[in-house]
Amino acid sequence: NRLADLGDADFRAAFTKLWPTGRIPLLLVDGVPVPETSIQIETLDQLCPSPPLLPADTEVRRRVRLWDRLFDCYVMAPMQAYVAGHFPGTTPDTALLARHAATLDMAYTMIEERLTPAPYAAGGQFSMADCAAAPALFYARCCHPFGDRPALTRYYQALVGRPSVAAS
């Protein structure tokens, strides 16, 4: 566990030797770089299988992967672009920001309509989907609130109340 200071030229040079994209997080397993969060979670699931983050049941596993993609592609990605559009020194492109906000609204509505009363996104067990949801929803709600979406709000509150999420 090491803090990634990509602003430090020496650190960045060493880091990009491991993974040329320079994107974080990066996991090293026996000296081998494991990039991309979903792949890291699968690797950790193999190394520490209890409790499993990827269920053995193929149908539940498919739902977990679908929720993971939904949170990464339709919440995290537009949220990051929305935030980047507000960086100091940039001129906000209001049309582009409106498209990012619309994508977040679409995702929030899709989540709202598909969440079940189960405590986690893909059912009764915490999974890779919830690992993707926690940071995506945490930051997205700061720049674009959930609005009147009670199922999404309930899920988010349960998620951040989980000790492993609250500690991060």
Side-chain angles (χ1 to χ4, degrees):
N1 190 8
R2 183 173 175 195
L3 179 63
D5 183 0
L6 296 175
D8 176 275
D10 292 335
F11 178 88
R12 185 171 189 77
F15 189 86
T16 56
K17 276 188 177 181
L18 293 170
W19 188 240
T21 67
R23 294 192 62 188
I24 57 174
L26 183 66
L27 178 66
L28 292 177
V29 177
D30 297 327
V32 177
V34 179
E36 302 300 329
T37 306
S38 298
I39 298 166
Q40 293 167 354
I41 290 171
E42 287 186 37
T43 301
L44 292 172
D45 200 50
Q46 292 168 351
L47 296 172
C48 309
S50 182
L53 295 172
L54 288 163
D57 180 274
T58 55
E59 179 57 27
V60 178
R61 189 180 197 106
R62 184 193 62 75
R63 284 197 318 265
V64 165
R65 289 183 176 284
L66 178 60
W67 279 106
D68 171 69
R69 296 295 72 221
L70 189 150
F71 289 120
D72 272 356
C73 297
Y74 302 104
V75 178
M76 184 62 92
M79 178 278 301
Q80 288 174 321
Y82 187 88
V83 169
H86 287 89
F87 282 163
T90 62
T91 303
D93 179 337
T94 55
L96 184 59
L97 292 173
R99 283 197 301 273
H100 295 315
T103 300
L104 286 168
D105 278 328
M106 178 274 304
Y108 291 171
T109 298
M110 191 164 51
I111 295 164
E112 177 72 19
E113 291 172 351
R114 287 168 174 75
L115 279 173
T116 68
Y120 299 110
Q125 183 177 339
F126 186 82
S127 70
M128 180 170 79
D130 306 298
C131 293
L137 292 173
F138 177 82
Y139 291 109
R141 75 166 178 65
C142 292
C143 65
H144 194 73
F146 299 152
D148 184 27
R149 294 180 174 93
L152 174 57
T153 300
R154 174 203 47 83
Y155 168 66
Y156 175 75
Q157 290 171 342
L159 190 59
V160 297
R162 184 179 165 84
S164 62
V165 175
S168 56

